[in-house]
PDB file of all heavy atoms in Angstrom:
ATOM      1  N   GLU A 401       3.335 -20.814 -19.847  1.00  0.00           N
ATOM      2  CA  GLU A 401       4.449 -21.521 -20.485  1.00  0.00           C
ATOM      3  C   GLU A 401       5.520 -21.830 -19.449  1.00  0.00           C
ATOM      4  O   GLU A 401       5.882 -20.983 -18.629  1.00  0.00           O
ATOM      5  CB  GLU A 401       5.033 -20.652 -21.593  1.00  0.00           C
ATOM      6  CG  GLU A 401       6.274 -21.215 -22.264  1.00  0.00           C
ATOM      7  CD  GLU A 401       6.932 -20.222 -23.213  1.00  0.00           C
ATOM      8  OE1 GLU A 401       6.363 -19.128 -23.435  1.00  0.00           O
ATOM      9  OE2 GLU A 401       8.025 -20.534 -23.716  1.00  0.00           O
ATOM     10  N   VAL A 402       6.045 -23.058 -19.490  1.00  0.00           N
ATOM     11  CA  VAL A 402       7.114 -23.434 -18.566  1.00  0.00           C
ATOM     12  C   VAL A 402       8.394 -22.692 -18.928  1.00  0.00           C
ATOM     13  O   VAL A 402       8.821 -22.699 -20.080  1.00  0.00           O
ATOM     14  CB  VAL A 402       7.361 -24.957 -18.600  1.00  0.00           C
ATOM     15  CG1 VAL A 402       8.583 -25.322 -17.751  1.00  0.00           C
ATOM     16  CG2 VAL A 402       6.136 -25.713 -18.107  1.00  0.00           C
ATOM     17  N   PHE A 403       9.003 -22.062 -17.922  1.00  0.00           N
ATOM     18  CA  PHE A 403      10.266 -21.354 -18.152  1.00  0.00           C
ATOM     19  C   PHE A 403      11.450 -22.087 -17.532  1.00  0.00           C
ATOM     20  O   PHE A 403      12.536 -22.131 -18.089  1.00  0.00           O
ATOM     21  CB  PHE A 403      10.190 -19.937 -17.582  1.00  0.00           C
ATOM     22  CG  PHE A 403      11.484 -19.187 -17.688  1.00  0.00           C
ATOM     23  CD1 PHE A 403      11.951 -18.750 -18.920  1.00  0.00           C
ATOM     24  CD2 PHE A 403      12.273 -18.946 -16.559  1.00  0.00           C
ATOM     25  CE1 PHE A 403      13.168 -18.083 -19.034  1.00  0.00           C
ATOM     26  CE2 PHE A 403      13.480 -18.278 -16.660  1.00  0.00           C
ATOM     27  CZ  PHE A 403      13.929 -17.845 -17.905  1.00  0.00           C
ATOM     28  N   ASP A 404      11.252 -22.663 -16.366  1.00  0.00           N
ATOM     29  CA  ASP A 404      12.342 -23.327 -15.658  1.00  0.00           C
ATOM     30  C   ASP A 404      11.770 -24.522 -14.899  1.00  0.00           C
ATOM     31  O   ASP A 404      10.614 -24.495 -14.454  1.00  0.00           O
ATOM     32  CB  ASP A 404      13.003 -22.344 -14.682  1.00  0.00           C
ATOM     33  CG  ASP A 404      14.243 -22.909 -14.008  1.00  0.00           C
ATOM     34  OD1 ASP A 404      14.824 -23.877 -14.536  1.00  0.00           O
ATOM     35  OD2 ASP A 404      14.636 -22.373 -12.942  1.00  0.00           O
ATOM     36  N   ALA A 405      12.551 -25.569 -14.760  1.00  0.00           N
ATOM     37  CA  ALA A 405      12.102 -26.742 -14.007  1.00  0.00           C
ATOM     38  C   ALA A 405      13.292 -27.551 -13.537  1.00  0.00           C
ATOM     39  O   ALA A 405      14.285 -27.696 -14.260  1.00  0.00           O
ATOM     40  CB  ALA A 405      11.180 -27.615 -14.871  1.00  0.00           C
ATOM     41  N   PHE A 406      13.206 -28.056 -12.319  1.00  0.00           N
ATOM     42  CA  PHE A 406      14.246 -28.940 -11.810  1.00  0.00           C
ATOM     43  C   PHE A 406      13.649 -29.873 -10.768  1.00  0.00           C
ATOM     44  O   PHE A 406      12.516 -29.681 -10.292  1.00  0.00           O
ATOM     45  CB  PHE A 406      15.427 -28.163 -11.228  1.00  0.00           C
ATOM     46  CG  PHE A 406      15.098 -27.319 -10.022  1.00  0.00           C
ATOM     47  CD1 PHE A 406      15.070 -27.866  -8.742  1.00  0.00           C
ATOM     48  CD2 PHE A 406      14.851 -25.957 -10.164  1.00  0.00           C
ATOM     49  CE1 PHE A 406      14.782 -27.085  -7.639  1.00  0.00           C
ATOM     50  CE2 PHE A 406      14.561 -25.171  -9.057  1.00  0.00           C
ATOM     51  CZ  PHE A 406      14.525 -25.732  -7.796  1.00  0.00           C
ATOM     52  N   LYS A 407      14.428 -30.871 -10.409  1.00  0.00           N
ATOM     53  CA  LYS A 407      14.008 -31.837  -9.397  1.00  0.00           C
ATOM     54  C   LYS A 407      15.102 -31.958  -8.352  1.00  0.00           C
ATOM     55  O   LYS A 407      16.285 -31.925  -8.680  1.00  0.00           O
ATOM     56  CB  LYS A 407      13.755 -33.206 -10.048  1.00  0.00           C
ATOM     57  CG  LYS A 407      13.289 -34.284  -9.076  1.00  0.00           C
ATOM     58  CD  LYS A 407      12.904 -35.567  -9.812  1.00  0.00           C
ATOM     59  CE  LYS A 407      14.113 -36.290 -10.347  1.00  0.00           C
ATOM     60  NZ  LYS A 407      13.760 -37.590 -10.970  1.00  0.00           N
ATOM     61  N   LEU A 408      14.701 -32.084  -7.095  1.00  0.00           N
ATOM     62  CA  LEU A 408      15.613 -32.376  -5.999  1.00  0.00           C
ATOM     63  C   LEU A 408      15.201 -33.704  -5.382  1.00  0.00           C
ATOM     64  O   LEU A 408      14.012 -33.945  -5.153  1.00  0.00           O
ATOM     65  CB  LEU A 408      15.565 -31.279  -4.927  1.00  0.00           C
ATOM     66  CG  LEU A 408      15.983 -29.870  -5.341  1.00  0.00           C
ATOM     67  CD1 LEU A 408      15.810 -28.905  -4.176  1.00  0.00           C
ATOM     68  CD2 LEU A 408      17.416 -29.839  -5.851  1.00  0.00           C
ATOM     69  N   LYS A 409      16.181 -34.557  -5.130  1.00  0.00           N
ATOM     70  CA  LYS A 409      15.899 -35.849  -4.511  1.00  0.00           C
ATOM     71  C   LYS A 409      16.674 -35.953  -3.205  1.00  0.00           C
ATOM     72  O   LYS A 409      17.884 -35.738  -3.165  1.00  0.00           O
ATOM     73  CB  LYS A 409      16.284 -36.999  -5.437  1.00  0.00           C
ATOM     74  CG  LYS A 409      15.853 -38.357  -4.907  1.00  0.00           C
ATOM     75  CD  LYS A 409      16.086 -39.459  -5.944  1.00  0.00           C
ATOM     76  CE  LYS A 409      15.582 -40.801  -5.417  1.00  0.00           C
ATOM     77  NZ  LYS A 409      15.776 -41.887  -6.426  1.00  0.00           N
ATOM     78  N   LYS A 410      15.954 -36.283  -2.160  1.00  0.00           N
ATOM     79  CA  LYS A 410      16.522 -36.300  -0.826  1.00  0.00           C
ATOM     80  C   LYS A 410      16.820 -37.743  -0.429  1.00  0.00           C
ATOM     81  O   LYS A 410      15.916 -38.573  -0.312  1.00  0.00           O
ATOM     82  CB  LYS A 410      15.490 -35.702   0.125  1.00  0.00           C
ATOM     83  CG  LYS A 410      16.037 -35.169   1.413  1.00  0.00           C
ATOM     84  CD  LYS A 410      16.550 -33.769   1.261  1.00  0.00           C
ATOM     85  CE  LYS A 410      16.681 -33.110   2.617  1.00  0.00           C
ATOM     86  NZ  LYS A 410      17.540 -31.958   2.597  1.00  0.00           N
TER      87      LYS A 410
END
Side-chain angles (χ1 to χ4, degrees):
E401 175 188 354
V402 174
F403 176 71
D404 186 20
F406 64 84
K407 181 173 72 175
L408 298 177
K409 187 172 183 179
K410 202 84 162 162

